[in-house]
Amino acid sequence: MSIEPFNKYTEVPEVVILRLPLYVRVLTKLDEDRETVISSYQLGQLLQMTPAQIRKDLSYFGRFGKQGRGYNVLFLLEELKRILGIDHGWKACLIGAGGLGRAILNYPGFSPEGFEIVSAFDVDEYKNGMLIGSVRVQSMKDLPIIISQHSIKIGIVAVPASQAQNVIDHLIKHGITGILNYAPIAPIVPKTVTIRNVDPVLSLQSMTFYMTERGK
Amino acid sequence: MSIEPFNKYTEVPEVVILRLPLYVRVLTKLDEDRETVISSYQLGQLLQMTPAQIRKDLSYFGRFGKQGRGYNVLFLLEELKRILGIDHGWKACLIGAGGLGRAILNYPGFSPEGFEIVSAFDVDEYKNGMLIGSVRVQSMKDLPIIISQHSIKIGIVAVPASQAQNVIDHLIKHGITGILNYAPIAPIVPKTVTIRNVDPVLSLQSMTFYMTERGK
DNA sequence: AACTGTGAAGGTTTTCACAGCG
DNA sequence: CGCTGTGAAAACCTTCACAGTT
C-alpha cells in the first residue's frame, strides 16, 4: 500500500507512436538518397518539428544517436521499424468489394510497406468469385476459416456506413485485432483492438475551419 | 506593459477543432433518427468520450445547451456547421488523374457533405479531355485560370510522391489555401495554408505497434 | 431532478537548457 | 565544437466538481 497516488508505469504517449511512422518515412527517403547521418535539427527541418521533440520521442525507446554527430540513418530506420513491428510483413483482409474496396485493392502503396491484402469478402453473393487485382472475392461465411488459416490480424473495412459497426464486431469476434476503417462512422471497439479511421471528409471539415475568418 | 509573461488570446485548441466534425457526424445521424434532444453524457457514449470533454469543447464557442435538459440536436448541428464553415459548399480541384485520382473522383462521400470536385488536372497530356465521372481532365497550364474563375480554395493532391511537393507549391502559388494530400510524403506548407494528409500506410504502421507485444 | 457551463485541479506533452560524450 | 539525451519548467489539454439554471 502506497501513500502516493497510484501511477501506472509511464507508457510511451500515443502521439509519439503516431509520429514514429513519419520518421520511418523520411529516413527511408534519406537512405534512398544515400544519406548516412542526420541530426535531430535536420530531421526537424524535414518534418517541421522541433529537434527537441524528435530527440525526446526517440529517447522513449533507447539511445540511437552519437553525440556531436547525429543519427545513423539506416540504423535508426531499422530500429524504428522493429519498434513499430514493421520489420516483418502483415497480412490483411478486406471487407466490402464496392468502388472503394476495389480502389483499396488496387492501391499500390500497401505492399511495398509490407501490408498485403490476401483476401477480400463481400455480402453480395453476386460478387463472389470476382477477381480484383490478384484477389478473389469470397463469401462472408468463409471469413472465419480464411482468417484463421492465414493468421490474418488486420481487417480493412470498406462497407457502407450502415453495415460498418456490424462488420467490425464480426471481425473482432473472429480474431482480428487491428482495423483500418474507411466507413464514415465513429466505431466502438474493445480496448484490446486497435482501430484507425481513414476519413477524408472529417479532414476537410476541420480544414475549412481554418480557411474561414473565424479560424484566424 | 504587463508584468506577467505575454500570453496571446487563448485560441481554441486544434484538437478541439478536430473533434467538431465528429460531433457534426453523430448529430446528423441523431437528426435523421428523429432525435431532438441529447445530453453530453449520451453524446459521450456514442463517441467514447467523457461528457466533460464534450461540454468543454462546446464552451469554447458559446452556450448551446439547456441546463437540466441537454442540447437541441438540430440547433447544435447547425451551430457547429456554421463554426466549421460547412454551412455552405466548397469547391475543390483534383490534381492527378491516375488510379487514385479516379477513385477520389468517384468517391460518393464528398458531395453530400458540400465538397464538390469541379475540376481535375493531370500533367500527362494524353489524359487531357478524358471524362471521369462528370469531370473532364484538363491540362496543368489551365489550372491558374480555372482556380481563379471558380474561386476554388481547396486542392486535392493525388500525384506520385516524387511530384507532390512541387504540385503543392504550385497550388499555393495560385491561391489554394487548403490542401487534402493523398501522396505519402511530409509536405511543407506556409502557415497561411491548411493541410491534411490522408495516409492509410501511416495509420497501419502506428497500429502494428499496439498489435505487438512491445505495445502492451 | 437533471443537466449545462466553467474555474480549478490534475495529468500529459512539449520545450528548454545544459551536462556530458565523441 | 557539435550534437545527443534528459531532468526540469512551461505549456497545453482533460477531468473534476459544483454553482447555477430550467
Side-chain angles (χ1 to χ4, degrees), chain A residues 49-118:
Chain A
M49 299 168 53
T50 64
Q53 181 163 66
I54 291 167
R55 294 201 302 276
K56 188 60 135 183
D57 282 0
L58 299 178
S59 77
Y60 284 104
F61 304 98
R63 302 151 59 103
F64 305 112
K66 282 211 178 46
Q67 281 133 321
R69 193 156 159 69
Y71 300 90
N72 178 295
V73 170
L74 198 54
F75 174 68
L76 181 56
L77 177 55
E78 301 202 323
E79 287 294 299
L80 289 176
K81 284 186 168 181
R82 189 180 49 75
I83 291 161
L84 285 169
I86 52 172
D87 51 347
H88 63 267
W90 289 83
K91 290 181 195 165
C93 63
L94 176 89
I95 324 298
L100 182 56
R102 229 166 278 145
I104 293 167
L105 279 171
N106 289 319
Y107 180 63
F110 290 125
S111 72
E113 302 301 330
F115 295 97
E116 198 193 352
I117 302 175
V118 296

Side-chain angles (χ1 to χ4, degrees), chain B residues 109-167:
Chain B
F110 291 125
S111 71
E113 302 301 329
F115 296 97
E116 199 192 351
I117 302 175
V118 297
S119 192
F121 301 93
D122 201 295
V123 274
D124 181 354
E125 300 283 335
Y126 281 100
K127 289 183 183 149
N128 295 172
M130 263 180 54
L131 200 64
I132 305 177
S134 58
V135 175
R136 202 168 288 280
V137 180
Q138 288 173 274
S139 162
M140 285 299 283
K141 63 181 187 304
D142 296 335
L143 188 139
I145 182 97
I146 298 285
I147 282 181
S148 123
Q149 276 178 350
H150 289 79
S151 309
I152 298 170
K153 289 278 167 288
I154 295 175
I156 303 179
V157 176
V159 300
S162 58
Q163 299 170 46
Q165 184 66 58
N166 282 344
V167 164

Side-chain angles (χ1 to χ4, degrees), chain A residues 204-216, chain B residues 17 20-21 23-25 27-28 57-65 73-90 113 115:
Chain A
L204 285 170
Q205 288 177 332
S206 68
M207 193 164 87
T208 51
F209 175 82
Y210 294 102
M211 298 172 69
T212 49
E213 282 317 307
R214 185 172 298 275
K216 294 168 187 164
Chain B
I17 303 303
L20 298 189
Y23 302 156
V24 167
R25 176 159 294 160
L27 288 166
T28 302
D57 283 358
L58 298 178
S59 78
Y60 285 103
F61 304 98
R63 301 151 56 102
F64 305 111
V73 169
L74 197 55
F75 174 69
L76 181 56
L77 177 55
E78 300 203 322
E79 287 294 299
L80 289 176
K81 285 186 168 181
R82 188 179 50 73
I83 291 162
L84 286 169
I86 52 171
D87 50 347
H88 63 269
W90 290 82
E113 302 301 329
F115 296 97

